[in-house]
Every structure is written in structure tokens, then in C-alpha cells.
Amino acid sequence: SRVGVNASRIYDCSQYAVCVNACRDVRVVGCDITDNGDDDGSAFALFSAGSSDGFLVADCRIRGNATQLVLDSTFTKNTRFLSNLVESNLIMTSVFSLEQYAALADGCSFELNMFPDTVPFTWYLESGLCPAAPLEVPEGGEVSVRTADEFLAAIGSNRTIVIDTGLLDLSTASDYGVLGGEHYFWRDWYDGPELVIRDVQNLSIRAAADDPAACTVTAVPRYANVLAFLDCTGIRVSGLTAGHTEGQGACTGGVLMFENCSDIAVSGCRLYGCGILGIEASFCSGLKVTDCEIYDCSQGGVRLYETRGAALTDCDIHDVNGSALSVTECTDIFWNDIILSDGWYELENQIPVSVPAWW
């Protein structure tokens, strides 16, 4: 939030000049945007704002670029494109692409821009894709879901999402990796998008079945976490299985990731590889992990960084490479009744034993 890019030159970039996701109040003012993309318009958009609030491009000189779009604003409120000079660019698809919310363009000059002869020129492009409409759920109510689209539409505060299906494959969502909603977005990794649930309070996600093996949430990309939570409070995940592909493998994505969250409880879950970690928490507080099985992860079981107050109780971590637990710059971390200091731990008969960091 509150990021300013002023009087700078951005050039020779192949995809974007400025790309923001899940941000608030980003201002790009008085900049030179030049020579981005190449002759076939490989740049996607010079300016891209997704699932954000408050994106301003003003008094910029935008010259000599090759791009599909000048401005792509997707599920972003209060996008403004003001007093810019847009000159001598190759624009392959459209000047603006706006999804869900309008944008304000005013005081701009468009001169000597080129467009391919094979594509009709349009100022405004609508992608045609739209996420499922958000579900209205009474505060504290439950909503049952069976598909990825229903799951995404149900994401919000003060509710319980009950997954009533044997397999919830996030890659089957209609807006997979493209759009987003008020409380989620897709974060792009090397081999595919990661679902990030953001800015919700008091959200519970649980399986309808009593057996966690009867309900599995999966992610296809091996570099993406299965479920990531950002800036959330009061998160409950229980009674389900989540992971990538059964068996160990090389990747950098984990299973559950929490960033800048508080009051988190994960209980009765099975979290498996090939994800590198079962649970990762950074800049969090109040994490409780109870009666969970974490296995077949390629780098470890649980990794905590700058987290205050975490308790792991009656958990079974097995068949993980590296350390079962990693604790860095944390306070008040417990394994059952054992307090852990910063360091790396393996488990011997479910007792944490410190190991070298390279383990």
C-alpha cells in the first residue's frame, strides 16, 4: 500500500512496465515508459492492476513500446489514467482492458500509435471472462460447495465454506489465473497460478465428510501453494486433505501458506507433497496446528518466520526431506508442551531435536 513511482524511466521490459496485484494506492507519476516489448507485441500490458484499490498513472510519457494493451485493470477500483502522452506505440489488441470496475481516463494525448491491419482497432476490450458472482451468506452462516467456481464465489468474511466433494481441483475454475474477486486473486508463478485469499475475517473452510481422506483440495502448478492466505484474521481450515501430486518431487510451492495473518487454526488435515512444506507462516500471530498429518514434502513439514505464538499439538510429520520444523525470528513457539527456540528441528519419537541449518 501507498507505493509511489516518480520521475523514473522504465524500459526494455518484456511483459509489463508496472504490474500490481492486491495493492492499495499505487501512484506512477511523471515517468518515461519506453521501448518495452518487441515488434510482435510480446508485452502483455504496459500497466496492469489486478484485485487492487487505487491505481494512478499520471503525467507519464509512454513512447515506442510494443504491447497487447496499454492499461489492463482487472477487479481494481479507482483506476485513473490522467494527463499522459501515449505516442508512437505498437498496440496489438486494445488501448484499455477493463474488467468489473470502470476506470477514469482524462487529459491524455494519443499520437502516431500503430495498430495491426488484421485486427479491428478498439479502445476498450472486454475479456468475456467473469468469476462467479459472490454469494450472499448471512453472517456466521454456512455455504456448501462442490466445484471450484462455487468455492471461489463463497470466499468472504464471517462464514463457513463446507466442501462437499471428493476432489476440488482449483485449476478447473472458470477464471483460473485470469481474473479475481473482491477477496481472492491468482498469483502468477513459473508454471501456473496460485490462489491467494486476502483480507477476510472469520472464514472457516472444512470438509463435509468426517474422514479427511474423503475430501482433497489440489493445485496443479508445482511452484504454487495450494491455498495461500494474505492479510486475514480468524482463519479455520479443518478436516480435509490438500496437496499437489502424491509422492515427493522437485518444486517450490507448499500446501498452506499464511502471510501477515492472525488467529489461525488448522486441525484434522492431511497435507502432502510434492509441496516443499506442509505449512508456512510469515509475519503471523496466533497459529494453532492440531492433529494434522504432514508428509511427502520435499523440504520440510512446518516453517515459521517472524511469527508470534504458534502451537503444534498432536501432529504427525513424517517422510519429509530436510527438517520437520524450522523456526526463524519467532517467539512463543510450542511443539506439544516443548518450547522451541529459533533453529531447525527433526523429530525423534515425536520429540524435536535441533539439527544444523543445512540439514
Side-chain angles (χ1 to χ4, degrees):
S1 62
R2 299 178 66 187
V3 176
V5 182
N6 303 310
S8 300
R9 184 184 173 208
I10 303 175
Y11 60 98
D12 288 347
C13 300
S14 60
Q15 286 293 319
Y16 307 95
V18 178
C19 180
V20 303
N21 268 305
C23 296
R24 293 185 178 90
D25 298 328
V26 176
R27 300 165 59 90
V28 183
V29 179
C31 295
D32 288 305
I33 312 298
T34 61
D35 301 315
N36 298 286
D38 52 36
D39 289 342
D40 65 1
S42 63
F44 176 71
L46 298 178
F47 303 95
S48 177
S51 298
S52 299
D53 189 351
F55 181 60
L56 169 68
V57 180
D59 298 316
C60 291
R61 295 158 295 279
I62 303 164
R63 296 188 177 102
N65 303 281
T67 183
Q68 298 293 321
L69 305 165
V70 174
L71 170 67
D72 177 49
S73 178
T74 301
F75 278 84
T76 294
K77 301 177 181 178
N78 301 313
T79 295
R80 293 169 294 164
F81 194 78
L82 306 178
S83 302
N84 299 299
L85 172 63
V86 183
E87 181 180 62
S88 301
N89 301 283
L90 174 62
I91 303 171
M92 301 295 294
T93 303
S94 178
V95 177
F96 302 113
S97 178
L98 310 175
E99 190 68 41
Q100 184 68 18
Y101 297 108
L104 173 64
D106 191 29
C108 298
S109 176
F110 295 87
E111 301 177 3
L112 303 176
N113 295 290
M114 296 167 286
F115 306 91
D117 295 335
T118 56
V119 179
F121 167 71
T122 176
W123 282 94
Y124 167 74
L125 176 70
E126 186 172 5
S127 69
L129 294 172
C130 187
L135 293 179
E136 295 294 333
V137 180
E139 185 167 331
E142 290 190 0
V143 56
S144 179
V145 302
R146 298 182 60 87
T147 68
D149 283 349
E150 291 175 350
F151 177 77
L152 295 175
I155 294 173
S157 297
N158 303 311
R159 66 190 59 182
T160 297
I161 301 175
V162 181
I163 303 175
D164 190 12
T165 183
L167 178 64
L168 187 71
D169 182 350
L170 297 173
S171 69
T172 62
S174 299
D175 70 344
Y176 181 60
V178 180
L179 304 177
E182 182 177 1
H183 290 296
Y184 74 89
F185 66 97
W186 298 100
R187 180 155 46 196
D188 190 28
W189 288 108
Y190 299 104
D191 62 340
E194 166 186 284
L195 176 65
V196 182
I197 298 173
R198 62 159 185 159
D199 198 24
V200 298
Q201 296 80 43
N202 304 319
L203 171 65
S204 296
I205 301 172
R206 67 174 178 83
D210 293 332
D211 181 3
C215 174
T216 300
V217 180
T218 64
V220 172
R222 294 163 67 89
Y223 285 83
N225 293 288
V226 179
L227 289 175
F229 297 85
L230 174 66
D231 298 333
C232 297
T233 301
I235 299 299
R236 305 287 182 265
V237 181
S238 62
L240 54 80
T241 297
H244 296 263
T245 305
E246 282 282 9
Q248 297 181 9
C251 69
T252 65
V255 184
L256 299 181
M257 191 276 284
F258 302 93
E259 184 178 355
N260 196 32
C261 296
S262 61
D263 186 17
I264 311 154
V266 182
S267 61
C269 290
R270 301 168 67 242
L271 310 175
Y272 68 84
C274 68
I276 62 170
L277 297 164
I279 296 176
E280 183 174 9
S282 301
F283 309 103
C284 293
S285 63
L287 169 66
K288 295 181 180 179
V289 183
T290 307
D291 190 27
C292 289
E293 181 184 9
I294 300 174
Y295 60 99
D296 284 350
C297 295
S298 58
Q299 286 192 13
V302 176
R303 181 175 295 172
L304 307 176
Y305 178 73
E306 289 204 20
T307 290
R308 296 180 293 105
L312 293 87
T313 307
D314 297 330
C315 293
D316 181 11
I317 301 176
H318 63 90
D319 295 314
V320 297
N321 289 339
S323 59
L325 306 171
S326 169
V327 181
T328 305
E329 298 184 34
C330 298
T331 56
D332 299 326
I333 309 299
F334 288 86
W335 172 269
N336 293 329
D337 294 326
I338 301 171
I339 189 167
L340 304 180
S341 58
D342 284 1
W344 299 62
Y345 299 85
E346 62 180 340
L347 296 177
E348 293 183 1
N349 297 320
Q350 295 301 306
I351 302 298
V353 177
S354 180
V355 298
W358 50 263
W359 178 262

